[in-house]
Amino acid sequence: MSNGNGRPGSTGSAGNTGSPNGHVRLSTDGLPAWLDPVARAAETVRPTQLSRFLPPESGAGRQSAVLVLFGEGARGPELLLMERAGNLRSHAGQPSFPGGSLDPEDGDPLTDGPLRAALREAEEETGLDPRGVQLFGVLPKLFIPVSDFVVTPVLGWWRTPTPVGVVDPAETARVFTVPVSDLTDPGNRATTVHPMGHKGPAFLVESALVWGFTAGVIDRILHFAGWERPWDRTKQVPLDWRA
């Protein structure tokens, strides 16, 4: 189902959004009030407001999805992240959202395929029970040139939290949550400088440097949700910050 802009549309009904292999839908019903700004931003934000790297007009690229999952922890709202194993060929050792390429069984990449893929990948990578996740929005598709991924960020509310952790150590080093208050703390924000000269937002949280695509999405969500606090954009962190 589509709401006319190429994104899966909301049914407006409450409850579980389904399992990865069954029916999935979007619903904003019953979200905690603090997530309302994120849901509103997802409805109005334009691709160019998120990134200058947009999917090729030719339709080329590897269709994929990530799950941007918000929960509520001991310190309030939080976000689920994972750290990829250091021996992977792509994005080794990098913190990221759970996610990956769409499989044929996920369905149409223009409708609910990304929803199903985001839940399936999150379950495979973190052990997350998708039945406890309410999907409430999607952001415009973005492009990661270095890996040729066309990525749909799928927004979720961890309505019924379940235990998560590393499922396959060959792919994932750790699974962790980050309080939103840490992400908005100006002291934890910086600008990364890539060896090729590219610069981008970064977060120094949970003994990790979150940068690249993941940091870019978080940065834009904080901005358009009105959660961003002024921070020192001249503070730079090299990508070999642990050296």
Side-chain angles (χ1 to χ4, degrees), residues 3-38:
N3 61 7
N5 60 1
R7 306 185 206 175
S10 172
T11 64
S13 57
N16 201 315
T17 51
S19 68
N21 297 317
H23 177 68
V24 288
R25 65 184 186 273
L26 298 178
S27 173
T28 56
D29 291 353
L31 288 181
W34 58 265
L35 266 178
D36 288 345
V38 180

Side-chain angles (χ1 to χ4, degrees), residues 158-171:
W158 209 351
R159 184 169 42 81
T160 306
T162 51
V164 292
V166 173
V167 175
D168 184 356
E171 292 192 0

Side-chain angles (χ1 to χ4, degrees), residues 1-11 17 20 22-26 63-66 102-119 135-141 150-155:
M1 53 201 163
S2 174
N3 61 7
N5 60 1
R7 306 185 206 175
S10 172
T11 64
T17 51
H23 177 68
V24 288
R25 65 184 186 273
L26 298 178
Q63 294 293 326
S64 61
V66 295
L102 269 67
D103 286 347
E105 60 266 28
D106 292 325
D108 190 346
L110 297 179
T111 56
D112 59 358
L115 308 185
R116 197 170 283 109
L119 289 174
L135 302 181
F136 66 89
V138 293
L139 297 178
K141 294 179 184 291
V150 175
V151 187
T152 300
V154 179
L155 305 176

Side-chain angles (χ1 to χ4, degrees), residues 20-106:
N21 297 317
H23 177 68
V24 288
R25 65 184 186 273
L26 298 178
S27 173
T28 56
D29 291 353
L31 288 181
W34 58 265
L35 266 178
D36 288 345
V38 180
R40 287 195 297 268
E43 289 292 325
T44 58
V45 70
R46 299 188 300 273
T48 53
Q49 293 177 306
L50 295 180
S51 175
R52 62 188 178 92
F53 297 111
L54 303 180
E57 294 183 3
S58 65
R62 303 163 61 189
Q63 294 293 326
S64 61
V66 295
L67 181 63
V68 184
L69 184 60
F70 292 91
E72 188 127 26
R75 295 178 52 201
E78 61 185 15
L79 200 57
L80 179 68
L81 295 176
M82 51 178 277
E83 188 173 306
R84 300 196 176 277
N87 59 349
L88 294 177
R89 288 185 299 174
S90 179
H91 308 296
Q94 189 172 342
S96 67
F97 302 116
S101 299
L102 269 67
D103 286 347
E105 60 266 28
D106 292 325

